[in-house]
Amino acid sequence: MESDTSPSFNRPAPQTLDLLLSRRSGSAKTMTGPGPSPEELETILRAAARVPDHGKLFPWRFIVIEGEARARLGTVLVECLRQTENVSEERAKIEAARFLRAPAIVCVVSRVREAIPIPEWEQQLSAGAVCQTMLIAATALGYVANWLTEWCAYHPLVRERLGLKSGERIAGFVYIGKSTAPLEERPRPDLEKIVTRF
Ligand SMILES: Cc1cc2nc3c(=O)[nH]c(=O)nc-3n(C[C@H](O)[C@H](O)[C@H](O)COP(=O)(O)O)c2cc1C
């Protein structure tokens, strides 16, 4: 158990705030290598596995997709699509290369336990926190990251081929890499429009 020597114990962390106030996603389309080293990836996953989680259920798990597995999963995408629709050569090429856009991808799987006092909604929220924490940790390590679902997160055959069980859903594919282009800011909500006081 962490004691009060933990750096987050009543101590300001201005660098973290700088990152949170300036962070944005880097598009998977403009990513390149190198990806995180094994140690860096472990740091990202450890940070993600510390998110708040009502009931200590760990209602998520991670599937790491790196190296040749990216092309293998691309082949799976094409196979799955072909079972349900006609796939043009052009589309097949795009799908085969989908996971080659970044050097590392983490599939965050939300695994909800039913019929327990912790609401399913809260378990799903925790999976969302995992994805966001991965973005932050990857950014803090000098990478860009992109939280995407795209069609493949929702295709039952893809979920099956990724080994998802009943009650498991894909919260996102977190793409991690280096950016080939500067990140442009995008509009952020005006706080006056979203904050009220009770
Ligand atoms: C659950 C979830 C799924 C998303 N899926 C997609 C997606 O499939 N395609 C896409 O272009 N953006 C998707 N996004 C949006 C991007 O991850 C990201 O929010 C957007 O590019 C702006 O990011 P930023 O505010 O971190 O800069 C998704 C976001 C969330 C929260």
Side-chain angles (χ1 to χ4, degrees):
M1 186 74 66
E2 292 283 314
S3 68
D4 63 4
T5 56
S6 158
S8 58
F9 185 79
N10 281 350
R11 289 191 184 89
Q15 264 198 316
T16 307
L17 262 188
D18 283 349
L19 186 147
L20 291 174
L21 290 170
S22 61
R23 182 214 62 81
R24 73 148 309 185
S25 299
S27 167
K29 281 186 224 148
T30 57
M31 276 187 202
T32 185
S37 67
E39 294 74 25
E40 287 173 328
L41 184 62
E42 188 183 324
T43 300
I44 293 167
L45 299 182
R46 283 176 53 206
R50 284 188 74 97
V51 297
D53 149 30
H54 190 176
K56 301 185 199 73
L57 298 171
F58 318 130
W60 18 260
R61 63 186 181 91
F62 314 141
I63 304 171
V64 175
I65 304 150
E66 288 182 297
E68 63 78 34
R70 298 170 305 150
R72 199 153 33 86
L73 187 52
T75 306
V76 166
L77 293 191
V78 178
E79 285 168 8
C80 291
L81 267 185
R82 285 204 167 122
Q83 294 204 29
T84 49
E85 59 189 271
N86 274 331
V87 182
S88 68
E89 271 315 299
E90 193 190 352
R91 175 83 193 271
K93 254 192 203 160
I94 293 170
E95 298 308 338
R98 186 166 293 280
F99 291 98
L100 295 174
R101 291 176 294 179
I105 302 103
V106 182
C107 174
V108 176
V109 178
S110 154
R111 44 177 187 183
V112 164
R113 275 173 56 192
E114 293 165 5
I116 59 167
I118 315 294
E120 289 176 31
W121 162 238
E122 296 187 10
Q123 298 179 50
Q124 289 166 346
L125 288 173
S126 183
V130 161
C131 295
Q132 176 65 10
T133 301
M134 274 186 197
L135 298 184
I136 294 166
T139 308
L141 283 167
Y143 295 92
V144 290
N146 201 184
W147 175 358
L148 300 177
T149 43
E150 302 179 314
W151 68 271
C152 40
Y154 299 101
H155 197 291
L157 295 176
V158 175
R159 296 209 300 228
E160 199 181 303
R161 297 285 296 272
L162 275 165
L164 268 68
K165 300 180 207 80
S166 140
E168 292 191 327
R169 296 168 81 177
I170 294 172
F173 293 99
V174 178
Y175 287 70
I176 304 169
K178 292 283 179 185
S179 183
T180 55
L183 307 184
E184 281 164 32
E185 185 50 311
R186 69 176 185 117
R188 301 292 168 178
D190 197 343
L191 279 192
E192 273 132 52
K193 299 217 172 91
I194 57 164
V195 180
T196 54
R197 284 181 204 279
F198 178 73

